[in-house]
Amino acid sequence: MKDLLTEINGENTYLIYEIAVNESLDTVIVGMMEHNKITGILPMTTVQLNQTKYLKYDITSKVKMSELFSGNVKKEMVVKCFLSIMNTLINAEDYMLNLEDFLIDMDHIYVTLGKYETELVCLPITDEKKTDAVKLELFVKNIIFSAKYDQTENCDYVAKIISFLNSQPFAINKFKEVLEEILDDNNVQLFHSADVKVSQKDELTPISVAAPENPVYNSIKPAFDTVVNNNTVDAFEISDKKALDLSNSVSEKKEKKGFFARRKDKVKKKEKSDKKCKETEMVQLSGMASEMIIPGQKVVSTEDGKSIGVNVNNSDNEVTGVVQKANLTKLPNTTFNHVKGSFGETTVLGVGGGSETTILGVNSLSSADNRAYLIRRRNNEKKYIDKDVYRIGKENSFVDYFIGDNTAISRSHANIIKKITDYYIVDMNSKNHTYVNGTMLQPNIETLLQPGTKIRLADEEFEFNLE
């Protein structure tokens, strides 16, 4: 199978497939595609020029799935894209289209930003099998295991998907059910404990306790603590004489213990232990030898007069005690530097005033590099290009340079790519196209930028420069 090329025709961008002499079209599929608008499948037309036939697919203002998943991905993005693909494959059966008729790879699946609806390429060539169930399963697994997930979100949904993939043979309908269940989890109401009536002598203060968001955690440990007036308190406090019975069907033995209650003497022991820990303000360092020395720490005196920890001067004659009780409330001469890279912001700690540490994999600009930037001519707005792949468009949740006041700009209009010290611009199938020094760019083709280059995105003018 040949590669699909891109072509601009007016405002639209097309994928073009040239049909070879030894290839034949499935006329039934071609008829279905040309006479029906099938949800989730790229619109296709056939064109003949001289003796050569072509298939054309409209990809205007759509982003490749590979581009969408090149950065940190969010739950909504992952689940909706996969769900859209599964719905398309299920719906395709009504039009006599099979799994083998589609190109299932990230470079041939196109996504509408915002809604995260996917559209597949149906290639009606009878001489070649494109995709089968095994390839579909591998396609899903490769994405799930290689994606970089947004760590600000709860990523439990990834574990659910992996559990499904590892537990049973892959089936489109079953995978769809898992994805729909994940989406429904967002609407699950938090659990609240039932109201309980007790007498005054029981000394019980009922508090509504919300279960943790993690459903696995709910099945392991009930919530004992909650926050009331910004203070963490015990959910239930009872006297020694009587334990709380939350169910009339529990046995006498369970009643004495209680499922959600603690005896008052246990609560007092816990409070006493917590108070002692707060007064000493000591912490234990796990995984370290008990006699390990921590340089730069002040000597901490105990009640019996012994000195523990390490003093600032590191004199051997004053070093005694154990590391578990060292005071770690302050590190001397600590500086904090923020380094921006392609994986968000990373905090680099330089202790003791020494040289700064370089984090491998973070592509920060060194002092020797020239900083690239764009000037927006309309308002002289200056934007630094601070990522290897710098996205420009009007989809605020996806791009790095958000242009929301110009409707001619596409959701993902263009990318500026840094390669070592050079910068390139790439049009991302934008509806109103990208121009460099007056010349319109072909989509997905890198064009080198020089200082002073004039860039036009639709009708919006910019200038690229270095400083």
Side-chain angles (χ1 to χ4, degrees):
M1 185 186 71
K2 303 189 187 96
D3 292 334
L4 280 78
L5 306 176
T6 56
E7 176 189 274
I8 295 177
N9 188 351
E11 292 183 347
N12 296 329
T13 304
Y14 295 94
L15 272 181
I16 305 294
Y17 181 80
E18 181 182 343
I19 302 172
V21 177
N22 61 339
E23 292 179 329
S24 59
L25 289 175
D26 187 320
T27 55
V28 175
I29 296 178
V30 171
M32 282 290 182
M33 293 287 294
E34 291 188 329
H35 295 91
N36 297 279
K37 182 173 176 55
I38 307 175
T39 302
I41 301 178
L42 285 172
M44 184 199 75
T45 58
T46 56
V47 177
Q48 183 162 349
L49 183 62
N50 298 326
Q51 299 300 318
T52 306
K53 288 185 178 181
Y54 301 89
L55 300 176
K56 295 179 65 174
Y57 304 86
D58 191 351
I59 57 172
T60 307
S61 299
K62 300 185 187 301
V63 176
K64 290 181 180 180
M65 193 173 178
S66 57
E67 167 67 19
L68 184 66
F69 278 67
S70 62
N72 289 344
V73 297
K74 295 181 177 292
K75 176 180 179 179
E76 181 185 20
M77 182 191 306
V78 175
V79 177
K80 286 188 174 181
C81 281
F82 277 130
L83 188 57
S84 181
I85 294 171
M86 298 306 122
N87 283 331
T88 298
L89 295 176
I90 294 171
N91 185 46
E93 296 178 358
D94 296 335
Y95 296 88
M96 294 182 289
L97 302 177
N98 300 315
L99 178 60
E100 63 190 29
D101 298 319
F102 295 95
L103 298 180
I104 306 294
D105 64 77
M106 295 183 74
D107 284 330
H108 294 107
I109 296 177
Y110 289 82
V111 184
T112 301
L113 291 178
K115 297 179 180 179
Y116 300 118
E117 295 175 346
T118 61
E119 289 188 281
L120 309 182
V121 174
C122 178
L123 195 62
I125 305 296
T126 59
D127 307 306
E128 183 176 352
K129 300 295 183 182
K130 275 75 71 176
T131 305
D132 55 26
V134 174
K135 290 182 181 178
L136 179 61
E137 182 179 4
L138 290 176
F139 166 77
V140 174
K141 285 184 175 180
N142 287 339
I143 295 176
I144 292 298
F145 287 107
S146 63
K148 295 174 289 187
Y149 298 99
D150 187 344
Q151 296 302 311
T152 63
E153 292 186 323
N154 185 339
C155 294
D156 286 351
Y157 71 97
V158 181
K160 289 183 179 180
I161 294 175
I162 293 175
S163 176
F164 165 80
L165 294 174
N166 291 334
S167 63
Q168 56 187 294
F170 186 86
I172 295 175
N173 285 304
K174 292 292 185 181
F175 188 42
K176 176 187 173 182
E177 292 175 3
V178 172
L179 297 170
E180 289 175 337
E181 181 182 344
I182 291 172
L183 283 182
D184 290 341
D185 285 346
N186 293 334
N187 300 321
V188 174
Q189 298 295 326
L190 292 178
F191 167 79
H192 293 277
S193 63
D195 294 334
V196 182
K197 294 182 180 180
V198 294
S199 61
Q200 286 186 347
K201 69 176 183 177
D202 288 327
E203 299 179 8
L204 174 67
T205 304
I207 298 173
S208 179
V209 181
E213 294 181 0
N214 188 339
V216 178
Y217 184 79
N218 290 342
S219 65
I220 299 174
K221 179 182 180 296
F224 281 102
D225 300 324
T226 188
V227 177
V228 179
N229 297 328
N230 297 323
N231 294 312
T232 302
V233 298
D234 283 338
F236 298 97
E237 183 178 355
I238 62 176
S239 65
D240 291 329
K241 296 180 180 180
K242 186 175 181 180
L244 175 61
D245 183 7
L246 295 180
S247 174
N248 294 329
S249 62
V250 297
S251 64
E252 182 179 356
K253 182 177 181 180
K254 289 183 179 178
E255 180 181 356
K256 290 181 180 180
K257 268 190 169 180
F259 289 107
F260 299 95
R262 301 177 186 176
R263 295 185 180 277
K264 198 169 185 178
D265 56 347
K266 292 184 178 180
V267 174
K268 288 183 178 180
K269 289 181 180 179
K270 180 180 182 299
E271 291 177 349
K272 184 177 180 181
S273 176
D274 292 343
K275 184 177 180 182
K276 183 177 181 181
C277 291
K278 290 180 180 178
E279 289 177 351
T280 58
E281 294 182 337
M282 304 296 182
V283 295
Q284 180 174 355
L285 301 179
S286 62
M288 300 177 67
S290 61
E291 298 297 330
M292 185 178 291
I293 297 173
I294 302 178
Q297 299 302 311
K298 292 183 179 181
V299 175
V300 180
S301 299
T302 61
E303 296 178 357
D304 57 3
K306 291 184 178 180
S307 296
I308 62 174
V310 182
N311 70 351
V312 177
N313 296 324
N314 270 347
S315 57
D316 295 336
N317 58 351
E318 297 185 27
V319 177
T320 59
V322 292
V323 72
Q324 289 95 322
K325 297 182 179 180
N327 190 329
L328 300 180
T329 58
K330 181 180 179 182
L331 288 174
N333 301 325
T334 302
T335 59
F336 299 86
N337 300 307
H338 289 279
V339 179
K340 290 187 177 181
S342 58
F343 301 101
E345 290 192 354
T346 302
T347 301
V348 182
L349 301 180
V351 180
S355 60
E356 294 184 356
T357 303
T358 300
I359 302 299
L360 295 178
V362 177
N363 191 20
S364 58
L365 295 175
S366 67
S367 58
D369 289 336
N370 292 322
R371 298 184 68 187
Y373 63 91
L374 291 175
I375 295 291
R376 187 181 183 186
R377 286 305 180 192
R378 180 194 296 190
N379 54 10
N380 288 325
E381 181 181 34
K382 186 175 183 179
K383 287 286 187 176
Y384 285 101
I385 301 168
D386 54 1
K387 292 185 176 181
D388 285 345
V389 179
Y390 188 77
R391 298 165 173 167
I392 308 170
K394 66 178 181 182
E395 179 58 48
N396 195 20
S397 63
F398 179 70
V399 300
D400 303 301
Y401 186 179
F402 171 60
I403 304 174
D405 57 355
N406 188 336
T407 57
I409 301 292
S410 295
R411 292 177 181 271
S412 176
H413 198 106
N415 290 351
I416 294 180
I417 301 172
K418 182 186 178 185
K419 293 185 176 181
I420 308 179
T421 59
D422 292 329
Y423 291 84
Y424 300 82
I425 189 167
V426 180
D427 180 81
M428 303 304 296
N429 306 318
S430 63
K431 189 172 185 64
N432 293 303
H433 313 305
T434 302
Y435 301 81
V436 170
N437 292 329
T439 302
M440 187 175 70
L441 303 183
Q442 290 291 320
N444 304 304
I445 302 297
E446 296 178 357
T447 300
L448 181 65
L449 295 175
Q450 301 287 355
T453 298
K454 302 296 189 295
I455 298 173
R456 179 157 62 89
L457 308 181
D459 59 354
E460 195 74 57
E461 294 186 350
F462 301 82
E463 181 176 320
F464 171 83
N465 239 313
L466 300 172
E467 67 174 23

